[in-house]
Amino acid sequence: MDYKHLIVLVLALATLVKDCVGLQRFAEQPKYTEVNPGQDGLLVCKVIDKRGVCSWQKDNKPVGIYPKKYEWASQYGIGQTTHMGGDCSLWVRAAQLEFDDGLWECQVTASDFTTQDALTSQPVRLVVRVPPQRPRLEHEGVHVPPGHNVTVDSGAMATVKCVSHYGNPPAQLKWFLGDQEISPLHPQTNSTEPDNPRTWSAASVVQIPANKDRHGAILKCLALHESYSARSVAVEARLDVKYAPTVRLLGAPQIDLEEGKDSLILRCQADANPTASIVWRRAGRSEIASLQESLQLRPVGRRDAGLYTCQAQNSVGTSETLSVQLDVKYAPKILSAGPDRLTTAPLFSPAAFECVAEGNPQPTYKWVQRISTQGKPFLDRGRESRLVIDNVTYDYQGEYECRATNFINGQERTATSDPIALQVVGAPQVLRSSSAAAGHSVSVRKGDSATLSLIVCADPRPRHVSWEWGSLRLEAGSGIGRFRVDDVTQDSREDCYLATLHIDDADLQDQRPYYLVVENDRGHDRHAVNLRVEGMFSVEPLELSYLLGIAGGCLAAFLILVCLCIYAIRTRKCCFRNRNNYKTSEKDSEKADLKSRSDSTSVPPLDSIYTTPTGFHHHHHPNGTPGSPEAMKTMPVLRTFGNHVA
């Protein structure tokens, strides 16, 4: 074996031994660690197959082992090279900012000078905590005290900065608007304090679009730090967004306002920052109605009706104008009715009255005449403000009232004028509207008393009143037999009188028209009332439907009878066809019988029809047998004149 092969063999053996023994390597390196001042901190460092010596450096400077300050965490001392001694962790006792805060490294020397397996960990920070100061807010470079406002105009951007000083490590800053977390404009920046490089300043900036909806919102900066007792400290400010006013109207009436009864409070509510001033104006007037938020009308009057506007103004701008139209309702009032309190009009001449009223809403008119008959005290005469009577009669004489009516909130309001009198002068006139004349007839039963009454009006008073029928005339206050005429009496209406005719024990022959004749200095009038006398057993007319039913039944029966007769005739012809036992002598005997019957029923002479002998009895026939010409001469005959029986 030559020299070269020996060297290769040695190197191979050395490599084999090295692989079997192994190199030093970290099982666990130190990590970032924080401790509070005065607390102990453990820097963990563990090595596999450790054969070298452990040591530590802080800020690139070696650190010695000092009891009660820097101590090994493991029971194995310095210089242990066995596999059991791989723990190089270090205790830092009673940590202090000025001595212990910094970058620490764990180092292990090489196993031997030829192996070159020395170890050095990554530098890690041991932080000795220092609680930062309370965070503070800044707006446009000006400090905002906690709870104060961040004032910004609507539409602008509110840029707010949050700063936390002298903390170790730097505080973590978060932003909240109300309850919602918001993102900062840029990531948080941390820098050492110029006067204390071992502490830090943390800063974060947020931008918020300012609008009306965010006015009054709470902006909060939250600083998180383990050294705080509650782990966090917050600082808050209120967003003060300035905006032009907007207004809304409250209290607008929902129902009609009635004069002297209702009150009204209108509010012009402004939403503005800063607070706006309110101005109430009334259209058509130069003066200001009110400078308060509320406009009060207690109670409302018709003079308050009109268009009202309200407007708000502050340093930012002016609101739009709101308007409300007030319409004050009031009950009708009669201004005039006439032309005069008393109007005299000749009979059959025209007359007119005029009524003027005010009210809101515009009233409707009604003219009524006071009456005392027909079961009601008033009679409607017109529905317009002007009442025109084209043809004056005594029916129109009397007192008139004008009534003006409107409705407020569904309730009727009515004003009535003083009475206006209409006096009618002229010839007498029998009132066709009186109860007796309205139907032109009076009906009584036979044997009862009949009373015919008519009302006649005249100015001047009638000088002649009488009843006429047939060839008879009875003056007022006279009578004859069963007929009696009362003196005229005053009716309830002015210049009207009642004329009455009494008929005792009415008989069928009393059925006829009876005429009332009235005269005065200006003329006369004549009007009839028909008297109907009903028999003891008179039958009331049947109803039309009942009569139609009877007629229909009779028609049906007649048609059936005709059909039966046709059927019988055809059957008889069939039965007697070709029969020759019908003799001429039988025909002659039938003709003789017909002739004798016709002689026995011949019509008596005309003079016997109009003769009614006295002593006639229905059951005795002294002058012959019933049906003979002698008997027919003595039978009574009823004469008829139209529909009357005499």
Side-chain angles (χ1 to χ4, degrees):
M1 180 180 296
D2 56 8
Y3 179 74
K4 290 183 179 181
H5 289 92
L6 182 61
I7 292 174
V8 171
L9 180 60
V10 171
L11 290 175
L13 290 173
T15 302
L16 180 61
V17 171
K18 183 177 180 180
D19 291 339
C20 293
V21 173
L23 299 177
Q24 297 181 128
R25 58 188 184 276
F26 283 115
E28 185 177 353
Q29 294 193 45
K31 297 178 181 179
Y32 175 86
T33 305
E34 291 185 11
V35 294
N36 291 327
Q39 290 182 341
D40 296 340
L42 178 62
L43 297 176
V44 178
C45 181
K46 293 183 179 181
V47 181
I48 299 175
D49 295 331
K50 183 180 79 67
R51 289 179 176 84
V53 179
C54 296
S55 65
W56 285 86
Q57 281 194 156
K58 173 184 172 291
D59 296 332
N60 296 320
K61 294 179 180 180
V63 176
I65 300 301
Y66 302 99
K68 298 183 180 180
K69 182 59 179 178
Y70 303 125
E71 299 177 348
W72 295 111
S74 173
Q75 60 179 348
Y76 301 103
I78 302 175
Q80 293 288 340
T81 59
T82 64
H83 293 285
M84 298 296 293
D87 189 356
C88 298
S89 301
L90 180 70
W91 278 106
V92 179
R93 304 293 184 181
Q96 296 178 0
L97 176 67
E98 58 271 24
F99 297 115
D100 304 322
D101 187 88
L103 295 175
W104 290 74
E105 297 177 15
C106 176
Q107 297 179 344
V108 181
T109 60
S111 301
D112 55 57
F113 75 95
T114 60
T115 305
Q116 297 298 315
D117 58 353
L119 301 175
T120 300
S121 69
Q122 292 292 330
V124 295
R125 187 172 181 82
L126 174 63
V127 176
V128 180
R129 298 187 186 106
V130 175
Q133 294 178 353
R134 183 185 182 91
R136 57 182 287 169
L137 297 177
E138 297 177 0
H139 177 236
E140 296 181 352
V142 179
H143 171 59
V144 179
H148 283 59
N149 294 337
V150 174
T151 302
V152 61
D153 290 340
S154 177
M157 297 293 292
T159 303
V160 184
K161 184 178 182 181
C162 181
V163 181
S164 175
H165 290 286
Y166 300 105
N168 188 43
Q172 181 184 0
L173 303 178
K174 289 187 176 183
W175 289 98
F176 292 87
L177 184 61
D179 296 331
Q180 184 177 4
E181 185 176 358
I182 58 176
S183 300
L185 182 62
H186 303 292
Q188 174 181 323
T189 59
N190 301 317
S191 61
T192 59
E193 296 287 355
D195 56 344
N196 188 357
R198 292 188 178 276
T199 59
W200 297 83
S201 172
S204 181
V205 178
V206 71
Q207 274 191 344
I208 303 172
N211 54 53
K212 176 181 175 180
D213 294 336
R214 287 178 173 166
H215 173 66
I218 301 300
L219 179 65
K220 179 171 66 175
C221 176
L222 185 67
L224 303 175
H225 201 276
E226 288 295 326
S227 63
Y228 287 139
S229 59
R231 300 293 188 268
S232 65
V233 173
V235 61
E236 296 179 350
R238 179 177 175 270
L239 286 182
D240 181 27
V241 181
K242 292 184 176 181
Y243 53 91
T246 58
V247 292
R248 63 172 181 163
L249 193 63
L250 302 177
Q254 303 300 317
I255 60 174
D256 292 339
L257 297 174
E258 186 171 357
E259 181 182 32
K261 181 179 180 181
D262 296 324
S263 298
L264 178 65
I265 300 178
L266 291 174
R267 291 182 58 200
C268 187
Q269 191 177 69
D271 181 13
N273 186 36
T275 303
S277 58
I278 307 295
V279 177
W280 280 97
R281 290 185 173 88
R282 184 175 174 184
R285 297 189 180 182
S286 58
E287 70 270 13
I288 294 175
S290 175
L291 292 175
Q292 303 297 322
E293 181 183 80
S294 297
L295 176 66
Q296 301 186 18
L297 303 173
R298 297 176 180 269
V300 294
R302 68 187 69 182
R303 65 184 180 280
D304 298 321
L307 180 67
Y308 290 82
T309 62
C310 76
Q311 194 174 39
Q313 184 176 8
N314 65 2
S315 59
V316 181
T318 303
S319 72
E320 63 177 346
T321 301
L322 293 184
S323 60
V324 57
Q325 180 73 44
L326 294 186
D327 186 17
V328 181
K329 308 295 185 181
Y330 49 93
K333 179 182 178 182
I334 302 295
L335 300 180
S336 65
D340 300 309
R341 295 292 299 275
L342 175 61
T343 299
T344 301
L347 186 65
F348 304 128
S349 67
F353 301 105
E354 185 77 23
C355 183
V356 178
E358 64 176 357
N360 188 24
Q362 185 66 32
T364 59
Y365 294 90
K366 181 169 74 171
W367 284 94
V368 297
Q369 178 186 358
R370 291 183 178 179
I371 58 175
S372 58
T373 60
Q374 301 178 2
K376 56 182 181 180
F378 296 98
L379 182 64
D380 289 353
R381 286 302 189 185
R383 296 282 177 168
E384 303 292 336
S385 62
R386 181 176 174 83
L387 173 63
V388 178
I389 305 173
D390 296 324
N391 189 22
V392 172
T393 64
Y394 288 105
D395 286 331
Y396 290 96
Q397 180 170 267
E399 291 186 340
Y400 288 78
E401 293 179 356
C402 172
R403 296 179 181 177
T405 303
N406 64 10
F407 288 85
I408 301 176
N409 292 321
Q411 297 182 355
E412 183 180 290
R413 303 286 192 269
T414 301
T416 303
S417 69
D418 293 332
I420 301 171
L422 174 62
Q423 183 72 39
V424 181
V425 295
Q429 183 184 23
V430 178
L431 300 187
R432 273 62 172 172
S433 61
S434 61
S435 59
H440 301 285
S441 65
V442 174
S443 297
V444 297
R445 295 177 64 85
K446 180 180 178 182
D448 294 342
S449 296
T451 300
L452 309 182
S453 296
L454 288 175
I455 297 175
V456 58
C457 297
D459 188 9
R461 181 184 177 92
R463 64 182 182 183
H464 175 74
V465 177
S466 64
W467 286 87
E468 296 179 353
W469 66 98
S471 59
L472 294 179
R473 169 185 285 188
L474 282 181
E475 300 290 338
S478 64
I480 180 173
R482 296 182 294 109
F483 301 92
R484 176 171 45 88
V485 178
D486 293 341
D487 288 327
V488 292
T489 57
Q490 180 69 46
D491 189 57
S492 58
R493 287 172 287 186
E494 184 181 3
D495 298 330
C496 292
Y497 310 92
L498 180 65
T500 305
L501 169 63
H502 299 282
I503 303 174
D504 297 332
D505 193 16
D507 198 357
L508 294 176
Q509 61 185 359
D510 296 330
Q511 288 191 139
R512 65 176 66 246
Y514 293 84
Y515 293 89
L516 175 64
V517 180
V518 187
E519 297 179 3
N520 71 355
D521 294 340
R522 294 177 179 264
H524 69 279
D525 193 15
R526 188 171 186 263
H527 186 65
V529 178
N530 289 314
L531 175 63
R532 293 178 56 196
V533 180
E534 300 176 354
M536 296 297 292
F537 302 101
S538 60
V539 181
E540 293 293 331
L542 296 176
E543 294 183 356
L544 180 60
S545 61
Y546 185 70
L547 293 176
L548 291 176
I550 294 175
C554 292
L555 179 60
F558 176 75
L559 292 176
I560 293 172
L561 182 59
V562 170
C563 293
L564 291 176
C565 290
I566 294 173
Y567 176 78
I569 291 171
R570 288 185 177 180
T571 304
R572 183 179 180 86
K573 286 181 179 180
C574 291
C575 293
F576 291 95
R577 183 177 299 170
N578 300 325
R579 291 182 62 180
N580 298 321
N581 55 353
Y582 190 77
K583 300 179 180 179
T584 307
S585 60
E586 293 178 354
K587 294 181 180 180
D588 296 335
S589 64
E590 288 179 358
K591 291 180 180 181
D593 291 340
L594 290 174
K595 183 177 180 181
S596 63
R597 291 176 186 173
S598 112
D599 294 337
S600 63
T601 57
S602 60
V603 180
L606 275 176
D607 56 344
S608 64
I609 297 177
Y610 299 100
T611 305
T612 306
T614 59
F616 172 77
H617 298 283
H618 292 282
H619 302 289
H620 300 279
H621 307 278
N623 297 323
T625 59
S628 65
E630 292 80 0
M632 292 296 293
K633 292 181 181 180
T634 60
M635 290 180 63
V637 177
L638 298 178
R639 290 175 292 171
T640 60
F641 302 94
N643 294 328
H644 302 283
V645 181

